[in-house]
Amino acid sequence: MLPFANIDFYLLFALLVALLYGLKALLSGRVSLVSVLIGISLFYAVAYFPKPWQILLFTTYQCLFTWLLLFRWKRLHKLLGSLLLALPMVLVKLDWNVDVIGFAGISYITFRCIQVYLDGDLLRDKFRFADFIAFLLFTPSLLAGPIDRYERFKGDMDQGWSRLNGGALLSGWEFMVLGLLHKFVLAELVDRYWLSECEGCTEAWPMLKDMYGYTAYLYFDFAGYSLMAIGLGRMMGVELPKNFDKPWLTQNAPEFWKRWHISLGDWLRDYFFRPIYKSLSGVQRLRTWPLLRQNIALFSTFLLMGCWNGLEAHYIISGSLFGLYSVVYNSYQHQRKKLGWDIWKGVHPTVVKVLSIAIMIHLAVFALYIFSGRFPYIHG
């Protein structure tokens, strides 16, 4: 029973949330909220995960090596340490030992561990093992995020049982209802009455319908999941980060990833783009080429994003397309500031905004259609 996948999950967590608020009156001051959340997460993993030993084995590996890297192997190069934490995920992406360690959510747990490790100098004195386990296994964000940060999660845990109150319950319920509307009404309508007519088509007009239909479905489905994760998280005392913010009003590729899957975009910016740009800045031949350094780091970041989803051709091409969009926009902005050349010179700002949004929508829709694997001329 995967999170938010069927009615049994909602019934189970309705009971668990009610139990959690009941336990607040009984256990507050004697047992910490984080301990109870760990118990709930472990109960869910063992009782309802398809192969519970997979997630328990993987979590044990990640906890052990995160602790070693933080407190025993401090001098190990950050890249090697990150690769050590990413190794199980990479093996799964390569279809090695999938039956041993492969499960839904492995990438999100891996990214959380790498974040804690790379921020180790800031977090080492604040690190608590109980908070870390609860952070890794928090059920609402286990399958598809949002990707939280340890220090923010720990801040919630430090407040303890006070996080459970009527305001959090009501706010969480509002997010849950909005998420249910997105995922089980709007996404279902698109899937049933739009996509079902277009799948497998190779003619131009049906393919266009399929392309825009898939993007609408993906948005409603993924945004719905994120909203429900945020809602259930609030009910359980955890303020998960926002994952979508009107992405169809963006005017360029970098802004798109500040509004679409925000937590992933922010993670890649902080823990991949910035380190690779810093590393390139140390290369003697590139020191006088800041634009080239930026573009290499940008393209590499989006290529990684594509590979993170899988090593099939459609994922890699989709990530590369978003990388290309970002490189072109970044180069244009650089030349505009350096030379004063502007393709929109003399055009009314409102017209520029509308045209920019329209262009970005079409570019994003095409890249996401490639991502879907439904494009008939690219096969994984």
Side-chain angles (χ1 to χ4, degrees):
M1 183 172 64
L2 295 177
F4 305 105
N6 54 49
I7 189 64
D8 292 341
F9 176 85
Y10 298 95
L11 294 175
L12 171 65
F13 269 85
L15 292 174
L16 288 175
V17 168
L19 176 64
L20 197 57
Y21 279 76
L23 290 175
K24 177 183 178 181
L26 297 173
L27 301 180
S28 181
R30 293 192 292 273
V31 178
S32 66
L33 173 62
V34 69
S35 298
V36 177
L37 291 182
I38 290 173
I40 289 175
S41 296
L42 290 175
F43 164 74
Y44 173 78
V46 171
Y48 293 100
F49 226 74
K51 296 179 181 179
W53 54 270
Q54 290 180 325
I55 189 172
L56 295 177
L57 177 63
F58 173 74
T59 303
T60 301
Y61 173 94
Q62 294 296 89
C63 288
L64 172 62
F65 281 98
T66 301
W67 181 81
L68 287 171
L69 290 166
L70 282 176
F71 298 104
R72 291 293 182 267
W73 301 342
K74 299 178 186 179
R75 295 184 179 180
L76 188 68
H77 194 283
K78 292 291 187 181
L79 177 59
L80 293 177
S82 299
L83 290 174
L84 188 61
L85 292 173
L87 179 61
M89 179 185 71
V90 172
L91 292 177
V92 169
K93 299 299 182 183
L94 293 172
D95 290 329
W96 291 358
N97 296 323
V98 174
D99 290 336
V100 177
I101 54 176
F103 63 92
I106 187 172
S107 299
Y108 288 91
I109 294 179
T110 299
F111 277 19
R112 291 175 191 138
C113 290
I114 292 176
Q115 181 259 315
V116 170
Y117 169 56
L118 292 179
D119 288 343
D121 293 338
L122 300 174
L123 301 178
R124 196 171 283 111
D125 295 337
K126 305 174 184 178
F127 184 86
R128 287 197 313 227
F129 217 72
D131 291 334
F132 183 59
I133 295 174
F135 171 64
L136 294 186
L137 294 178
F138 189 58
T139 303
S141 60
L142 182 63
L143 181 61
I147 305 174
D148 205 355
R149 302 292 177 96
Y150 172 77
E151 60 273 27
R152 199 222 56 75
F153 185 90
K154 182 181 180 299
D156 288 348
M157 294 301 97
D158 288 343
Q159 296 178 49
W161 292 99
S162 65
R163 298 284 307 173
L164 303 183
N165 52 63
L169 197 61
L170 179 60
S171 176
W173 174 246
E174 291 174 348
F175 273 93
M176 282 291 293
V177 171
L178 191 58
L180 288 167
L181 174 64
H182 275 68
K183 186 173 178 66
F184 293 108
V185 177
L186 298 176
E188 180 65 23
L189 286 172
V190 172
D191 185 37
R192 185 173 300 184
Y193 298 107
W194 188 343
L195 287 182
S196 60
E197 299 179 358
C198 307
E199 189 171 1
C201 296
T202 57
E203 297 177 0
W205 176 242
M207 281 178 59
L208 282 173
K209 290 174 60 180
D210 193 37
M211 182 169 70
Y212 288 94
Y214 172 78
T215 302
Y217 170 79
L218 179 64
Y219 171 72
F220 289 131
D221 183 75
F222 197 4
Y225 182 99
S226 296
L227 288 166
M228 290 187 291
I230 292 170
L232 182 55
R234 287 193 179 187
M235 293 181 188
M236 299 175 69
V238 175
E239 186 85 10
L240 291 172
K242 181 166 61 173
N243 223 16
F244 289 86
D245 182 20
K246 301 174 183 176
W248 306 116
L249 296 180
T250 55
Q251 302 180 55
N252 54 70
E255 185 185 355
F256 180 81
W257 285 99
K258 292 178 182 178
R259 292 171 174 261
W260 174 284
H261 207 343
I262 299 169
S263 62
L264 175 61
D266 288 349
W267 193 97
L268 289 171
R269 178 199 64 208
D270 293 342
Y271 301 107
F272 194 79
F273 172 80
R274 287 176 177 171
I276 197 172
Y277 180 75
K278 182 178 179 181
S279 177
L280 290 171
S281 298
V283 178
Q284 184 67 35
R285 293 182 179 180
L286 294 177
R287 287 183 179 176
T288 57
W289 298 87
L291 177 61
L292 181 59
R293 296 200 306 269
Q294 290 175 4
N295 287 342
I296 292 174
L298 274 171
F299 189 83
S300 300
T301 299
F302 284 101
L303 180 62
L304 172 70
M305 183 185 68
C307 295
W308 170 69
N309 286 293
L311 297 179
E312 292 83 358
H314 55 97
Y315 292 135
I316 296 173
I317 293 172
S318 175
S320 298
L321 279 173
F322 277 114
L324 179 62
Y325 299 161
S326 298
V327 165
V328 170
Y329 178 76
N330 188 54
S331 300
Y332 164 70
Q333 288 293 92
H334 179 83
Q335 294 301 317
R336 187 176 67 85
K337 293 176 182 177
K338 184 177 180 180
L339 303 177
W341 177 79
D342 190 348
I343 193 174
W344 301 111
K345 187 175 182 179
V347 182
H348 193 278
T350 302
V351 176
V352 173
K353 181 177 181 179
V354 171
L355 289 176
S356 298
I357 290 173
I359 292 169
M360 189 61 231
I361 286 176
H362 296 313
L363 291 174
V365 165
F366 178 67
L368 291 172
Y369 187 48
I370 299 295
F371 167 86
S372 72
R374 298 168 71 94
F375 187 62
Y377 304 109
I378 296 177
H379 303 284

